[in-house]
Amino acid sequence: MKLTILIHCPDQSGIIRSVTTFVHQQEGNVVYLDQHVDKQAGVFFMRLQSEFEREIALDTFKAKFEAELADAFQMEWDIYTDDYKPKMAIFVSKYNHCLYDLLSRYNSGELKVDIPFILSNHKDLEYVAGQFQIPFFHIPMGKDNKEEAEERQLALLQEHGVDFIVLARYMQIVSPRVIDVYPQKIINIHHSFLPAFVGAKPYHAAFERGVKIIGATSHYVTADLDAGPIIEQDVTAVSHSHSIQDFIAKGRDLERIVLSRAVQLHVGRKTMVYNNKTVIFS
C-alpha cells in the first residue's frame, strides 16, 4: 500500500523528523520526500510518499496523524492512497485538439483517471466521446439559461462523484457557483502565455506585436478570470516568417502539452496552492 501526504503549515523546526518518525511508527517506509519553505511568508510545504507492506486502516491513520502531528504543527494536510483513480470530468466546446490528447493518454493508460463523462455546450464533439465510448452530455449555455445550465452541471458532477474538472478549451466562463463547489479542482488551459496577450485573439495580437515566442498557460480556475494559480506553462519560438495560421498551429500544440502536464501534476498530487500561487513538486 502506498500513501502520499501533502502538508503546509507555519515553518518551524522538527516537522520533517516528526512526520518521518510517525510514518516509521506506523510500519511505513518513506520512499520520497520533497519540501519547500516560503521564507517571506514563513510557510513550510512538503510532499511525502510512503509504502506499507500491509494494508492499513486509512481512517485510523488519518485520525492518529491529526491528533499526534497536525494539531501541534497547525498543519493543513491531505493524505491519498495511490490506488485510487480520481474521477475527471471534461468540459469542451468546439475545439477538439486538447480533448483528443487527454483521451488518447487516458486510453493508453498514461493518464490514470476515470472519466465518467464529457460535457459540452455544443454537440460538435459528441462523436469524439463516442469514439472513446465515454458518455456525452450536451448542456447549452446562454445568458437566459446560465443558472439552469449550471444546476444541471452540478447535478451531473455530484451524481457521478467527480473529483475534478478539466476545461479542454471550454469557451464559457465558469461562475463562482461552480468554482465554490470545486475550489482548486478546475483546471483550465489558456491560449497564451499569461498575463500577456489575454483576450479572444491572443495569437493575432502577438503576431501584430512581432513577438519571438508564444506560449500557453494552464491554471486553476478562480472567480478572477484567467488569474488563478498557474500550474504549468511553456513557450515556442516564432519569427517574422511565420503566418498567423502558423502561430495558431504552434499554439495548439503547446495547449495540448501544457494541459496534459498540468493534469498529470494534479493527478499525481504534486501541486499545492497557497496565496494564489502553486508549489509544484518534482
Side-chain angles (χ1 to χ4, degrees), residues 7-12 15-16 19 33-38 41-47 75-76 272:
I7 296 167
H8 76 79
C9 62
D11 186 33
Q12 55 208 288
I15 302 172
I16 295 176
V19 175
L33 190 154
D34 194 3
Q35 57 85 29
H36 168 69
V37 177
D38 184 332
V43 179
F44 174 88
F45 301 86
M46 184 167 74
R47 178 177 184 269
M75 292 177 178
E76 297 288 334
M272 294 186 73

Side-chain angles (χ1 to χ4, degrees), residues 20-179:
T20 54
T21 298
F22 175 83
V23 171
H24 176 70
Q25 290 172 344
Q26 308 308 311
E27 301 180 25
N29 180 41
V30 175
V31 295
Y32 169 92
L33 190 154
D34 194 3
Q35 57 85 29
H36 168 69
V37 177
D38 184 332
K39 294 191 175 180
Q40 282 189 320
V43 179
F44 174 88
F45 301 86
M46 184 167 74
R47 178 177 184 269
L48 179 147
Q49 289 181 299
S50 55
E51 293 181 346
F52 298 81
E53 291 186 359
R54 59 177 178 81
E55 290 293 316
I56 62 171
L58 187 59
D59 289 342
T60 302
F61 185 94
K62 288 182 176 181
K64 286 183 178 180
F65 187 89
E66 176 78 29
E68 298 180 22
L69 291 178
D71 289 342
F73 287 101
Q74 300 175 276
M75 292 177 178
E76 297 288 334
W77 58 279
D78 285 299
I79 297 177
Y80 305 96
T81 60
D82 281 13
D83 59 354
Y84 176 72
K85 287 185 178 181
K87 295 182 178 179
M88 177 183 84
I90 303 177
F91 284 24
V92 294
S93 288
K94 293 186 176 183
Y95 295 113
N96 66 14
H97 55 293
C98 288
L99 177 62
Y100 264 124
D101 186 78
L102 289 171
L103 294 180
S104 296
R105 295 176 191 275
Y106 162 75
N107 201 45
S108 69
E110 177 185 341
L111 185 55
K112 299 186 184 305
V113 296
D114 286 330
I115 304 178
F117 64 84
I118 297 166
L119 183 146
S120 180
N121 56 323
H122 299 283
K123 290 186 176 181
D124 299 55
L125 301 182
E126 185 173 5
Y127 73 96
V128 180
Q131 290 173 352
F132 289 86
Q133 299 181 326
I134 296 174
F136 180 90
F137 293 98
H138 172 227
I139 300 181
M141 176 80 71
K143 293 180 180 179
D144 297 333
N145 75 328
K146 189 173 180 65
E147 287 191 11
E148 177 191 350
E150 288 179 342
E151 284 181 9
R152 292 176 62 191
Q153 289 178 355
L154 287 169
L156 275 172
L157 292 165
Q158 291 165 6
E159 176 187 344
H160 290 84
V162 167
D163 294 298
F164 73 106
I165 303 165
V166 176
L167 308 182
R169 293 306 305 273
Y170 179 63
M171 308 303 286
Q172 292 288 325
I173 295 174
V174 180
S175 79
R177 185 180 185 189
V178 178
I179 296 169

Side-chain angles (χ1 to χ4, degrees), residues 95 97-98 169 189-193 196-211 213-217 234-236 238 242-256 258:
Y95 295 113
H97 55 293
C98 288
R169 293 306 305 273
I189 182 66
H190 195 280
H191 47 295
S192 69
F193 193 79
F197 302 118
V198 299
K201 294 185 177 181
Y203 299 122
H204 292 72
F207 178 79
E208 293 298 327
R209 286 288 302 275
V211 301
I213 61 170
I214 57 172
T217 301
D234 206 348
V235 296
T236 189
V238 293
H242 291 114
S243 67
I244 292 176
Q245 290 305 314
D246 293 332
F247 277 38
I248 293 172
K250 283 175 170 284
R252 287 181 179 172
D253 284 344
L254 282 177
E255 290 165 23
R256 283 189 284 261
V258 170

